[in-house]
């Protein structure tokens, strides 16, 4: 199967035209017509991901975060230049970013399902970005919710305690802090990542329960479901989920 044919399958699941205006999604590196037998599915095209792809003999890497986001000034041989490394090794890269966040079965759906929320429905902000809300199976305190989220997603969780029981929860994988006020409409807590200090202060002052569960951990939930779904639709290709996290914590 060709790179462009795999792209069409993913594009049907998460249309590029649904990405936000600042985004860069699609086939970003490589040859649209090259044949693919093995593809790596991961959150980021890191040096570790490229090494894994090379070791597995993969001709394609599918990422959530764009391998090229800002304009490149050069593509030269140097440590960490994954664009160069992919081109050198004949590896194409497809990146599906905010369009995969908002898609049915995308990042935010996978996050809600990983947290075992029920009655899941979309929440759309003023820019047209869609995240999710749903209900916990039982009420929890803010501390209980933080521990619950950590037990499922791993990593570390920072949070404010709104002081009320939590049943209805909004979730947004990655950097969703700007949607705090929309997320807190008719919900008891908001789970997202990359929350700035001033937003925590504001949430605490307003009596909001706000959880920062980490960018990687709130989005990496998409990797295995996406690899499985693509494998069902492109049976001649082996899709390998790669969940490596090179950011360490103590």
């Amino acid at each position: 199967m060709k790179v462009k044919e795999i792209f069409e399958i993913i594009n049907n699941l998460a249309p590029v035209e649904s990405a936000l205006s600042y985004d860069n999604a699609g086939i970003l590196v490589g040859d649209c017509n090259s044949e693919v037998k093995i593809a790596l599915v991961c959150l980021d095209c890191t040096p570790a991901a490229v090494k894994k792809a090379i070791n597995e003999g993969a001709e394609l890497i599918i990422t959530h975060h764009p391998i090229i986001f800002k304009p490149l000034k050069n593509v030269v041989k140097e440590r960490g230049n994954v664009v160069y490394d992919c081109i050198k090794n004949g590896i194409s890269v497809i990146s599906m970013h905010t369009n995969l966040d908002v898609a049915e079965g995308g990042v935010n759906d996978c996050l809600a399902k990983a947290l075992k929320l029920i009655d899941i429905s979309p929440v759309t902000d003023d820019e047209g970005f869609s995240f999710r809300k749903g209900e916990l199976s039982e009420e929890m305190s803010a501390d209980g919710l933080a521990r619950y989220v950590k037990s499922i997603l791993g990593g570390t969780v920072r949070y404010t305690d709104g002081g009320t029981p939590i049943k209805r929860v909004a979730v947004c994988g990655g950097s969703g802090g700007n949607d705090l006020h929309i997320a807190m409409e008719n919900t008891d807590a908001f789970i997202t990542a990359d929350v700035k200090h001033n937003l925590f202060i504001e949430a605490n002052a307003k009596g909001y329960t706000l959880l920062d569960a980490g960018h990687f951990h709130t989005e990496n939930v998409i990797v295995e479901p996406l690899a499985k779904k693509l494998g069902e639709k492109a049976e001649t290709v082996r899709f390998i989920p790669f969940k490596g996290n090179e950011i360490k914590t103590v």
Side-chain angles (χ1 to χ4, degrees):
M1 181 170 281
K2 297 182 185 298
V3 169
K4 64 183 180 182
E5 292 172 324
I6 295 174
F7 169 73
E8 286 304 318
I9 292 173
I10 309 175
N11 195 48
N12 285 333
L13 298 172
V16 167
E17 57 264 27
S18 65
L20 296 179
S21 58
Y22 64 80
D23 209 355
N24 189 27
I27 302 172
L28 303 188
V29 172
D31 182 355
C32 296
N33 291 306
S34 65
E35 291 288 337
V36 178
K37 293 182 179 179
I38 300 173
L40 196 74
V41 181
C42 52
L43 201 63
D44 299 276
C45 191
T46 62
V50 176
K51 182 178 179 180
K52 176 71 172 177
I54 293 170
N55 290 341
E56 294 286 349
E59 303 91 352
L60 173 66
I61 297 175
I62 299 167
T63 73
H64 177 46
H65 295 132
I67 185 174
I68 300 172
F69 193 63
K70 297 179 180 179
L72 296 177
K73 293 184 178 180
N74 58 54
V75 180
V76 298
K77 183 180 179 180
E78 62 182 5
R79 181 173 178 175
N81 194 327
V82 291
V83 174
Y84 173 89
D85 291 337
C86 285
I87 293 171
K88 178 185 175 183
N89 290 281
I91 299 172
S92 299
V93 182
I94 296 172
S95 299
M96 304 298 254
H97 193 206
T98 52
N99 52 313
L100 187 59
D101 284 319
V102 303
E104 183 178 347
V107 173
N108 290 321
D109 268 335
C110 286
L111 178 57
K113 291 175 182 177
L115 295 173
K116 299 179 174 61
L117 300 186
I118 57 176
D119 191 23
I120 300 168
S121 59
V123 182
T124 304
D125 68 14
D126 295 336
E127 292 185 338
F129 182 81
S130 175
F131 51 103
R132 302 293 184 265
K133 64 181 178 181
E135 288 190 2
L136 298 163
S137 59
E138 59 183 26
E139 283 189 351
M140 298 183 185
S141 64
D143 180 70
L145 179 61
R147 294 177 186 276
Y148 173 74
V149 170
K150 179 180 174 65
S151 72
I152 293 175
L153 302 182
T156 59
V157 179
R158 299 183 299 148
Y159 68 100
T160 57
D161 186 346
T164 57
I166 298 162
K167 180 71 171 179
R168 193 78 174 156
V169 177
V171 298
C172 180
S175 305
N178 290 338
D179 283 325
L180 173 64
H181 299 293
I182 294 174
M184 290 302 301
E185 292 178 5
N186 303 312
T187 64
D188 307 309
F190 183 33
I191 302 166
T192 187
D194 296 346
V195 177
K196 294 183 178 180
H197 178 75
N198 66 297
L199 200 60
F200 269 129
I201 297 299
E202 182 179 346
N204 187 63
K206 290 185 176 294
Y208 292 162
T209 295
L210 171 62
L211 285 76
D212 182 333
H215 199 121
F216 176 86
H217 295 90
T218 56
E219 291 192 327
N220 204 42
V221 291
I222 187 64
V223 172
E224 288 187 358
L226 180 59
K228 181 180 179 181
K229 187 174 292 186
L230 292 175
E232 292 169 351
K233 293 182 177 295
E235 296 181 354
T236 62
V237 179
R238 181 162 69 96
F239 294 90
I240 303 172
F242 179 67
K243 302 181 73 172
N245 183 12
E246 297 166 51
I247 302 171
K248 308 301 181 183
T249 57
V250 295

